[in-house]
Amino acid sequence: MCIDLLRHGEPAGGERYRGSGVDDPLSEQGLEQMWRAVGGCAPASGPWSRIISSPMRRCLDFAVPLSHALNLPLTQVPDLREVGFGSWEGRTPTELRQNSPEAFLAFFRDPMRARPRGAEPLKDFRRRVDGALDDLIRRHEDEHLLVVTHAGVIRAAVCGALEVPTEAMYRIKIAYAGVTRLRRDDRGMMLEFVNRRHLADSA
């Protein structure tokens, strides 16, 4: 089984914290980034059996037209939405550094306990992502899936594949429209690559 995890492209509104509470549409550049990432996958030779997407607009804006172009089934999975950032939703890193520097740095030192006010507990987030991926593995054991999702979900998936603590999530940088590939065989789940910008390069 092979799972390609594609992060959404750049959203409109620039860099800011968007969890499950803020859902800007893709910018024109963000949409171009995503098409570029899959550009080598023509409809006649595309590798996937189906497309799975977060229900958030910045993922569906691409997943829907791609499913039509490739004539592939598309399924929305609510548990693949981004982690909720609570009071940080919609705020920029620059703003947080200036106005709440101690809380900002504490979050990266201890993301499990130093959560923004009202944020989804990272333990709960990891549990729902693990559950969603386990369900995909059970349902589509021998397939090649494209999962259109978010940086946090991809970080959690990488932590699961490598069996590293959830606390390490934010040490993994996930680029806009970057592709991460997980492959599962009789040895278990393996990480094949992270942040590939052009899937044609992985053939």
Side-chain angles (χ1 to χ4, degrees):
M1 181 183 190
C2 190
I3 302 175
D4 289 334
L5 297 139
L6 172 64
R7 185 189 179 189
H8 62 77
E10 178 186 80
E15 185 180 11
R16 60 181 184 151
Y17 284 94
R18 297 173 180 86
S20 53
V22 170
D23 193 16
D24 294 318
L26 290 171
S27 67
E28 184 176 335
Q29 178 179 343
L31 194 56
E32 290 176 358
Q33 289 168 339
M34 298 183 80
W35 282 111
R36 194 178 309 126
V38 302
C41 303
S45 59
W48 307 296
S49 56
R50 66 186 64 246
I51 298 171
I52 311 295
S53 180
S54 158
M56 304 198 78
R57 182 177 179 184
R58 56 193 186 269
C59 295
L60 285 177
D61 279 355
F62 176 74
V64 170
L66 182 67
S67 71
H68 293 159
L70 299 181
N71 194 28
L72 289 176
L74 169 64
T75 303
Q76 295 182 44
V77 177
D79 281 345
L80 293 177
R81 67 191 184 280
E82 183 61 287
V83 64
F85 281 108
S87 62
W88 284 15
E89 295 271 355
R91 301 178 69 185
T92 68
T94 299
E95 176 190 352
L96 290 166
R97 278 183 176 277
Q98 291 174 346
N99 299 334
S100 309
E102 292 183 5
F104 183 77
L105 294 176
F107 170 78
F108 291 98
R109 285 193 297 264
D110 187 1
M112 296 292 285
R113 285 173 285 274
R115 308 291 292 155
R117 180 173 46 82
E120 180 179 9
L122 209 53
K123 179 176 64 176
D124 294 349
F125 171 68
R126 176 68 186 274
R127 185 183 300 117
R128 72 168 163 86
V129 172
D130 286 351
L133 292 175
D134 286 346
D135 187 60
L136 290 178
I137 290 168
R138 283 193 301 270
R139 290 173 180 268
H140 311 292
E141 185 176 4
D142 299 317
E143 298 185 39
H144 188 165
L145 307 181
L146 175 66
V147 178
V148 185
T149 187
H150 309 270
V153 172
I154 297 172
R155 291 184 179 112
V158 169
C159 287
L162 299 181
E163 297 183 356
V164 300
T166 305
E167 288 87 341
M169 267 183 51
Y170 291 99
R171 299 178 193 173
I172 306 168
K173 184 174 178 62
I174 303 296
Y176 283 135
V179 182
T180 296
R181 176 168 290 174
L182 302 178
R183 192 179 294 276
R184 184 174 183 270
D185 60 20
D186 55 356
R187 298 166 293 179
M189 190 69 80
M190 295 187 179
L191 176 64
E192 197 161 306
F193 54 74
V194 178
N195 287 327
R196 186 69 55 86
R197 296 303 185 100
H198 302 285
L199 264 176
D201 298 339
S202 64

